[in-house]
Amino acid sequence: MKLAIELVPIPTMNVNVRSHISSYRWRQLSLNIQRRDDYACVICERRKGHEVHKLHCHEQWEFNEKHEIQRLIGLQSLCFQCHMLKHIGFADMQGWIEQYALIEHFCEVNRVDREQFAIHLHEAVQQWMHRNRINWKVDLSAYTEWI
Ligand SMILES: [Zn+2]
């Protein structure tokens, strides 16, 4: 799937670059990534100032279950809808899903129907519950390249 739901485990939800640097530095970093990404969402390709109001900076992770390492592998510019879909598991998001037409956006970007969305969400939640039980060591070493 071009736009996949990737839920961060609960124990490491706040262990990330964003929480390690000041909001000013995060903003600068985010702007640098947006410039690199030509001011467009890297998934749905909608452009800032045209189809979308603003872009978010998303932290991409790789999960090595054998060694229990959650490693930061990149930062990418995402539009609001793509970014919300990445984090869709949150309990308080039910209203948001409808208000911002998130399921429609998922189906449009991936060219799938609502049933396929439901299957993908279910699988992502199952994987997330499994990952919540792992004692992750978070590797942020790659982030120094970007600041
Ligand atoms: Zn997008």
PDB file of all heavy atoms in Angstrom, residues 41 43-46 78-79 81-82 105, ligand 1:
ATOM      1  N   CYS A  41       3.354  16.501  -0.389  1.00  0.00           N
ATOM      2  CA  CYS A  41       3.198  15.285   0.406  1.00  0.00           C
ATOM      3  C   CYS A  41       3.861  14.143  -0.373  1.00  0.00           C
ATOM      4  O   CYS A  41       3.551  13.937  -1.549  1.00  0.00           O
ATOM      5  CB  CYS A  41       1.711  14.995   0.625  1.00  0.00           C
ATOM      6  SG  CYS A  41       1.399  13.401   1.408  1.00  0.00           S
ATOM      7  N   ILE A  43       3.443  11.068  -0.194  1.00  0.00           N
ATOM      8  CA  ILE A  43       2.561   9.940  -0.498  1.00  0.00           C
ATOM      9  C   ILE A  43       1.514  10.310  -1.553  1.00  0.00           C
ATOM     10  O   ILE A  43       1.438   9.678  -2.604  1.00  0.00           O
ATOM     11  CB  ILE A  43       1.883   9.406   0.787  1.00  0.00           C
ATOM     12  CG1 ILE A  43       2.943   8.813   1.721  1.00  0.00           C
ATOM     13  CG2 ILE A  43       0.818   8.346   0.431  1.00  0.00           C
ATOM     14  CD1 ILE A  43       2.410   8.322   3.048  1.00  0.00           C
ATOM     15  N   CYS A  44       0.710  11.337  -1.297  1.00  0.00           N
ATOM     16  CA  CYS A  44      -0.371  11.649  -2.249  1.00  0.00           C
ATOM     17  C   CYS A  44       0.003  12.768  -3.223  1.00  0.00           C
ATOM     18  O   CYS A  44      -0.774  13.084  -4.128  1.00  0.00           O
ATOM     19  CB  CYS A  44      -1.665  11.971  -1.502  1.00  0.00           C
ATOM     20  SG  CYS A  44      -1.649  13.567  -0.675  1.00  0.00           S
ATOM     21  N   GLU A  45       1.180  13.339  -3.020  1.00  0.00           N
ATOM     22  CA  GLU A  45       1.772  14.330  -3.930  1.00  0.00           C
ATOM     23  C   GLU A  45       1.034  15.663  -4.010  1.00  0.00           C
ATOM     24  O   GLU A  45       1.291  16.470  -4.905  1.00  0.00           O
ATOM     25  CB  GLU A  45       1.942  13.721  -5.340  1.00  0.00           C
ATOM     26  CG  GLU A  45       2.905  12.529  -5.317  1.00  0.00           C
ATOM     27  CD  GLU A  45       2.962  11.788  -6.640  1.00  0.00           C
ATOM     28  OE1 GLU A  45       2.416  12.286  -7.640  1.00  0.00           O
ATOM     29  OE2 GLU A  45       3.555  10.690  -6.671  1.00  0.00           O
ATOM     30  N   ARG A  46       0.117  15.910  -3.094  1.00  0.00           N
ATOM     31  CA  ARG A  46      -0.550  17.218  -3.109  1.00  0.00           C
ATOM     32  C   ARG A  46       0.430  18.275  -2.597  1.00  0.00           C
ATOM     33  O   ARG A  46       1.206  18.032  -1.682  1.00  0.00           O
ATOM     34  CB  ARG A  46      -1.805  17.175  -2.234  1.00  0.00           C
ATOM     35  CG  ARG A  46      -2.868  16.250  -2.827  1.00  0.00           C
ATOM     36  CD  ARG A  46      -4.173  16.334  -2.071  1.00  0.00           C
ATOM     37  NE  ARG A  46      -4.012  15.899  -0.682  1.00  0.00           N
ATOM     38  CZ  ARG A  46      -4.996  15.938   0.217  1.00  0.00           C
ATOM     39  NH1 ARG A  46      -6.188  16.393  -0.118  1.00  0.00           N
ATOM     40  NH2 ARG A  46      -4.794  15.514   1.458  1.00  0.00           N
ATOM     41  N   LEU A  78       4.398  15.000   4.982  1.00  0.00           N
ATOM     42  CA  LEU A  78       3.091  14.413   4.700  1.00  0.00           C
ATOM     43  C   LEU A  78       2.012  15.473   4.860  1.00  0.00           C
ATOM     44  O   LEU A  78       2.137  16.374   5.688  1.00  0.00           O
ATOM     45  CB  LEU A  78       2.779  13.266   5.668  1.00  0.00           C
ATOM     46  CG  LEU A  78       3.656  12.015   5.652  1.00  0.00           C
ATOM     47  CD1 LEU A  78       3.116  10.993   6.636  1.00  0.00           C
ATOM     48  CD2 LEU A  78       3.737  11.421   4.252  1.00  0.00           C
ATOM     49  N   CYS A  79       0.936  15.350   4.085  1.00  0.00           N
ATOM     50  CA  CYS A  79      -0.200  16.236   4.279  1.00  0.00           C
ATOM     51  C   CYS A  79      -0.938  15.794   5.540  1.00  0.00           C
ATOM     52  O   CYS A  79      -0.679  14.714   6.080  1.00  0.00           O
ATOM     53  CB  CYS A  79      -1.133  16.199   3.066  1.00  0.00           C
ATOM     54  SG  CYS A  79      -2.077  14.674   2.910  1.00  0.00           S
ATOM     55  N   GLN A  81      -3.965  14.710   6.059  1.00  0.00           N
ATOM     56  CA  GLN A  81      -4.732  13.460   5.986  1.00  0.00           C
ATOM     57  C   GLN A  81      -3.831  12.221   5.975  1.00  0.00           C
ATOM     58  O   GLN A  81      -4.099  11.251   6.678  1.00  0.00           O
ATOM     59  CB  GLN A  81      -5.658  13.470   4.771  1.00  0.00           C
ATOM     60  CG  GLN A  81      -6.876  14.350   4.982  1.00  0.00           C
ATOM     61  CD  GLN A  81      -7.716  14.466   3.732  1.00  0.00           C
ATOM     62  OE1 GLN A  81      -7.181  14.751   2.656  1.00  0.00           O
ATOM     63  NE2 GLN A  81      -9.009  14.267   3.860  1.00  0.00           N
ATOM     64  N   CYS A  82      -2.788  12.238   5.171  1.00  0.00           N
ATOM     65  CA  CYS A  82      -1.870  11.088   5.145  1.00  0.00           C
ATOM     66  C   CYS A  82      -1.235  10.896   6.518  1.00  0.00           C
ATOM     67  O   CYS A  82      -1.074   9.771   6.987  1.00  0.00           O
ATOM     68  CB  CYS A  82      -0.787  11.289   4.088  1.00  0.00           C
ATOM     69  SG  CYS A  82      -1.392  11.094   2.395  1.00  0.00           S
ATOM     70  N   HIS A 105      -9.807   9.264   1.850  1.00  0.00           N
ATOM     71  CA  HIS A 105      -8.468   9.614   1.382  1.00  0.00           C
ATOM     72  C   HIS A 105      -7.612   8.349   1.243  1.00  0.00           C
ATOM     73  O   HIS A 105      -6.918   8.181   0.238  1.00  0.00           O
ATOM     74  CB  HIS A 105      -7.807  10.602   2.352  1.00  0.00           C
ATOM     75  CG  HIS A 105      -6.506  11.160   1.861  1.00  0.00           C
ATOM     76  ND1 HIS A 105      -6.428  11.970   0.745  1.00  0.00           N
ATOM     77  CD2 HIS A 105      -5.229  11.001   2.290  1.00  0.00           C
ATOM     78  CE1 HIS A 105      -5.158  12.299   0.521  1.00  0.00           C
ATOM     79  NE2 HIS A 105      -4.411  11.714   1.444  1.00  0.00           N
TER      80      HIS A 105
HETATM   81 ZN    ZN B   1      -0.875  13.229   1.503  1.00  0.00          ZN
END
